[in-house]
Amino acid sequence: MATDVLILGGFAFEDFSVPNEMPGGGNQAMVVHKLPGGSRVIDTLGPDDAPVAFTGQMFADNAFDQALALDAMRVAGEVIPLIWGGQTKQVVIEKFTFKVKRLPNWVTYDISCVVAQDPTQGDLTAVDSSVDSNVSSDLSSASSAATDPFGGAAVPAGTPPI
């Protein structure tokens, strides 16, 4: 029988410490331009993953030490892997709070992680570089047109000077 395991950084949630629920999904980042007459132009900017927030309990002889280890990961503020349900995301622990119910055996916790990168979404920096090159090319063309509006062609007779 397979067991549920969730790994956050180097910490494995197992047995009683695995949360009962794990959220998924998020939003689509976008800008909506409202035009006269009620028309809209929507620019989609890509996925904006919701924070991965979960709650659970740790019931073990070292539960308090485990809570302190997770809190140290929050304090460090580093990007770490979150692995569960066959997925891996790079996250930063935004919030970690815990309550000691019975020392040292029982600790409840709440964790919220901000997704820094979802490997399934691919690398969006390639899109940025192509946009940059297109903008640079357009600016260059506009600059050339402004300095030489006829593109090096002969000026038609009778055209007033600019």
Side-chain angles (χ1 to χ4, degrees):
M1 177 195 261
T3 59
D4 292 334
V5 178
L6 180 145
I7 298 172
L8 180 60
F11 187 89
F13 293 83
E14 300 176 296
D15 301 324
F16 291 107
S17 66
V18 177
N20 289 332
E21 298 178 333
M22 285 296 292
N27 296 316
Q28 173 64 237
M30 65 178 69
V31 176
V32 178
H33 306 277
K34 296 180 181 178
L35 306 175
S39 296
R40 294 178 179 203
V41 175
I42 301 172
D43 295 323
T44 57
L45 305 173
D48 182 15
D49 290 331
V52 180
F54 54 98
T55 186
Q57 60 185 349
M58 294 178 276
F59 190 76
D61 288 339
N62 63 346
F64 185 64
D65 292 334
Q66 291 176 336
L68 294 176
L70 285 164
D71 197 43
M73 291 169 58
R74 175 198 56 86
V75 170
E78 296 177 357
V79 176
I80 55 176
L82 172 64
I83 303 166
W84 62 276
Q87 312 178 56
T88 300
K89 296 181 185 227
Q90 297 297 315
V91 300
V92 175
I93 299 175
E94 173 184 38
K95 178 184 117 182
F96 174 72
T97 57
F98 64 94
K99 293 179 185 172
V100 178
K101 296 280 195 170
R102 191 172 58 206
L103 189 64
N105 297 340
W106 187 11
V107 175
T108 60
Y109 65 84
D110 291 297
I111 297 177
S112 178
C113 299
V114 175
V115 178
Q117 180 182 11
D118 182 348
T120 64
Q121 301 301 322
D123 183 14
L124 297 178
T125 57
V127 173
D128 293 342
S129 64
S130 66
V131 169
D132 288 345
S133 65
N134 287 340
V135 169
S136 294
S137 174
D138 289 349
L139 287 173
S140 177
S141 297
S143 177
S144 295
T147 57
D148 186 7
F150 296 106
V155 177
T159 303
I162 297 178

